[in-house]
Amino acid sequence: MKQFSIFLIMFLLLCNPVPVLSQGVDDYLILEGVGVYELYTGILGRVFSGPPTKYSRSLSGGVLSGGDHFSEQDTSYAASYKEPGGNWPFVKVEVTQHSGGNSDQWLIHEVESGFRTYYGSPDESYVARQVGDQTIIALGSAGWVYRWISNNIVIEIEYQDSQMEKPEPLEVVQAYLAKFPSTLPEFTSADLRTDASKEKWIKDEMERRLWLGDKWFAWQEAGSSDVAETLREVNRSIEVFLNYREKYFGINADLEKESLYTLISNQNLQGMKDKLAEYKSWWATNKSGSINLP
């Protein structure tokens, strides 16, 4: 009977999860209506029913995770807002407090990555926007995604509109800009598409990928990741570096990728470190050279 009671309690907890509370969440999210938009208090992404929650919290790099941002105790907060009279989330907001560690040196670069192609060219719908006297970046496709950074906080606001007919939720954008003023430098959409701007972003990405390799090795040496994970993550960043080098410097990457695969198969951590050192040496000699832009 006692075992059954414990099982029943566990089951009820799963079916009715307690909302995660976080001290200082008001510092990150606006937990009330904004203009005509009402705060959505339904449950996003839950299988089981449970009490309403106004927001969610996760320990991740937020929107930058997809670009292999190295998360160092980053914390993301998310909330949604409904259209007037609507029942479902319309505007979604994610605010990520980054750690203040050396990973943050790449925030401006990384916040753009989702608005660029794999090889770093700006998406056709990627624009710089001025909201009042502040610069943000935005991607317009079946709605809008707005992003900016405020020191080491990254803000993303998005909404879906497949016909691009609804008014933009600028009240929400303006409210979060008032809470988190943009620290992006002022630039225009045309600035993004100059050869000099493209070349800088591409070379910065190659530099960042080598930096990520060093970062993962340091993480492993500190006991924060095992050999298998470290090799996998270092290889992933080195492969991006090699693909960029092949495209923009004309150096075939096939044999290099085969040698990396062998190192992973043999769990050869030192061999991977040696390869990274080799690429860093090559980069130090060649990064100031011209590249072959499309």
Side-chain angles (χ1 to χ4, degrees):
M1 179 62 70
K2 184 177 180 181
Q3 288 181 334
F4 176 78
S5 299
I6 293 172
F7 174 80
L8 180 60
I9 292 170
M10 292 177 64
F11 178 78
L12 290 173
L13 286 171
L14 286 172
C15 291
N16 295 279
V18 177
V20 175
L21 299 179
S22 174
Q23 184 178 5
V25 66
D26 289 334
D27 293 333
Y28 298 100
L29 297 173
I30 299 173
L31 297 178
E32 59 187 11
V34 179
V36 299
Y37 298 97
E38 301 173 22
L39 180 69
Y40 178 73
T41 56
I43 303 164
L44 298 177
R46 286 189 176 173
V47 176
F48 300 107
S49 62
T53 180
K54 293 180 179 180
Y55 66 92
S56 63
R57 175 178 177 268
S58 62
L59 301 177
S60 75
V63 297
L64 304 187
S65 297
D68 293 335
H69 168 78
F70 196 97
S71 178
E72 300 181 84
Q73 299 179 339
D74 301 333
T75 305
S76 295
Y77 301 85
S80 296
Y81 304 85
K82 301 186 299 181
E83 290 181 282
N87 295 317
W88 303 104
F90 179 61
V91 183
K92 298 180 180 180
V93 176
E94 182 178 80
V95 177
T96 304
Q97 173 68 69
H98 290 275
S99 65
N102 62 358
S103 299
D104 290 3
Q105 68 184 287
W106 301 106
L107 289 183
I108 293 179
H109 175 85
E110 291 171 334
V111 81
E112 286 193 68
S113 62
F115 294 172
R116 291 177 178 267
T117 66
Y118 176 84
Y119 283 108
S121 296
D123 189 282
E124 291 181 0
S125 300
Y126 171 25
V127 296
R129 296 275 294 268
Q130 291 296 126
V131 180
D133 60 353
Q134 301 191 62
T135 301
I136 66 172
I137 60 175
L139 187 72
S141 179
W144 281 94
V145 180
Y146 314 93
R147 288 182 183 175
W148 68 93
I149 68 169
S150 184
N151 296 316
N152 64 337
I153 296 173
V154 171
I155 301 90
E156 178 177 272
I157 299 174
E158 66 170 319
Y159 78 102
Q160 299 294 316
D161 176 17
S162 59
Q163 302 302 313
M164 299 292 278
E165 295 174 345
K166 296 180 179 180
E168 295 181 60
L170 293 179
E171 304 101 308
V172 180
V173 175
Q174 290 166 343
Y176 274 91
L177 275 170
K179 196 173 183 69
F180 302 107
S182 173
T183 52
L184 287 175
E186 185 174 347
F187 58 92
T188 68
S189 301
D191 292 335
L192 295 169
R193 290 167 173 82
T194 66
D195 284 352
S197 176
K198 292 177 185 177
E199 181 170 331
K200 182 181 185 310
W201 199 92
I202 288 162
K203 288 184 174 181
D204 283 350
E205 180 64 2
M206 295 178 74
E207 182 93 23
R208 184 179 77 100
R209 290 293 171 171
L210 297 175
W211 176 88
L212 278 167
D214 278 333
K215 189 70 174 177
W216 274 105
F217 283 133
W219 204 243
Q220 187 272 330
E221 289 169 5
S224 300
S225 65
D226 60 25
V227 170
E229 180 186 30
T230 301
L231 286 171
R232 183 172 63 250
E233 294 297 336
V234 172
N235 177 69
R236 182 158 63 178
S237 280
I238 286 179
E239 282 204 348
V240 175
F241 173 84
L242 292 174
N243 287 339
Y244 271 54
R245 189 172 74 163
E246 181 174 74
K247 183 172 182 64
Y248 294 115
F249 290 87
I251 300 175
N252 187 276
D254 292 344
L255 292 178
E256 292 297 321
K257 290 179 183 178
E258 288 181 16
S259 68
L260 294 175
Y261 179 76
T262 300
L263 293 173
I264 292 174
S265 297
N266 295 333
Q267 295 286 281
N268 188 340
L269 193 69
Q270 185 57 52
M272 188 68 81
K273 288 181 178 180
D274 292 343
K275 274 294 181 183
L276 179 62
E278 175 187 329
Y279 300 138
K280 287 172 62 180
S281 177
W282 181 91
W283 183 239
T285 301
N286 292 277
K287 65 181 177 181
S288 60
S290 61
I291 64 173
N292 302 316
L293 287 172

